[in-house]
Amino acid sequence: MKKQHQSTTSDDPNFDGKSIGFSVSHLMRKMKEYFAYQVTVGTNHLTTPTHGWVLGYLYRHQEEEIYQKTLEEVLHMAPSSVASLAKNLEKGGYIKRVPVETDARLKKITLTSQGMECHMQAIACFEKVEEKAKENLSREETEQFFRILKKMIHNFDDMSEQIEEVSL
């Protein structure tokens, strides 16, 4: 069965370049699609972006004690979602959950050698996505993009406490 043509920015009637939210969402969807393609053709492992984030976090924090609660906080995910994610990563051989001697309820999460290999391959895929995103931009345009993005993110920083209060 032939895949239907997906609209591009230039022929998408909904993309008018005037809605920041729609534009960022549109870009993220395109980047996720390209990442999924890179993972399919560039690695021996099937992983989701979230799996990649977890493996990357574990890789960068190998010297620290990482528990499920740590991942819940870092990823801003519900305990049940992180439990399912950890179960899938452990089943795939990417992580180990090791019981802590002082508290049997706690399990330290560590990266396996297969998880490290997958992380390194995912990094290569992320780099290709970054290259693709910057493909037609000059260094100055890229720097300007990040300056503007930083300002937009800062616009929402003061809302963090209010949002957390509502979420409780």
Side-chain angles (χ1 to χ4, degrees):
M1 178 176 251
K2 198 173 188 178
K3 186 177 178 182
Q4 277 189 311
H5 169 72
Q6 297 226 343
S7 65
T8 61
T9 303
S10 58
D11 64 3
D12 186 339
N14 297 313
F15 185 79
D16 62 5
K18 295 179 182 170
S19 167
I20 293 170
F22 180 81
S23 300
V24 169
S25 176
H26 191 74
L27 176 61
M28 279 302 301
R29 184 174 48 82
K30 294 284 187 185
M31 291 176 81
K32 284 179 180 180
E33 289 171 358
Y34 192 72
F35 176 77
Y37 166 76
Q38 289 299 324
V39 167
T40 302
V41 299
T43 72
N44 298 323
H45 308 282
L46 296 177
T47 143
T48 67
T50 305
H51 290 168
W53 295 329
V54 170
L55 297 180
Y57 184 82
L58 292 171
Y59 183 83
R60 288 186 308 277
H61 297 88
Q62 291 178 62
E63 303 304 317
E64 299 171 29
E65 302 271 318
I66 306 296
Y67 304 97
Q68 182 173 318
K69 185 77 171 162
T70 311
L71 295 178
E72 292 167 14
E73 293 168 1
V74 169
L75 298 172
H76 306 286
M77 291 175 67
S80 59
S81 298
V82 174
S84 175
L85 179 66
K87 181 180 176 184
N88 289 335
L89 287 170
E90 186 175 37
K91 186 177 177 183
Y94 302 111
I95 66 168
K96 286 189 298 191
R97 292 191 280 187
V98 181
V100 175
E101 289 180 24
T102 57
D103 187 344
R105 296 171 297 171
L106 286 177
K107 291 193 176 17
K108 180 180 173 188
I109 300 174
T110 60
L111 208 52
T112 64
S113 58
Q114 182 177 345
M116 284 188 194
E117 179 185 335
C118 182
H119 167 70
M120 299 312 286
Q121 290 176 343
I123 289 297
C125 292
F126 280 121
E127 287 172 355
K128 288 180 182 176
V129 172
E130 285 286 313
E131 287 172 21
K132 185 70 173 169
K134 297 175 186 176
E135 193 171 84
N136 295 311
L137 300 176
S138 68
R139 193 179 101 245
E140 291 80 18
E141 288 172 321
T142 302
E143 289 170 359
Q144 180 180 17
F145 172 78
F146 283 116
R147 280 193 305 273
I148 292 169
L149 193 60
K150 186 175 181 178
K151 286 180 180 181
M152 289 178 169
I153 291 168
H154 180 71
N155 290 341
F156 290 95
D157 284 346
D158 62 338
M159 296 295 300
S160 296
E161 288 181 25
Q162 294 171 7
I163 292 169
E164 284 180 25
E165 289 175 13
V166 173
S167 299
L168 300 176

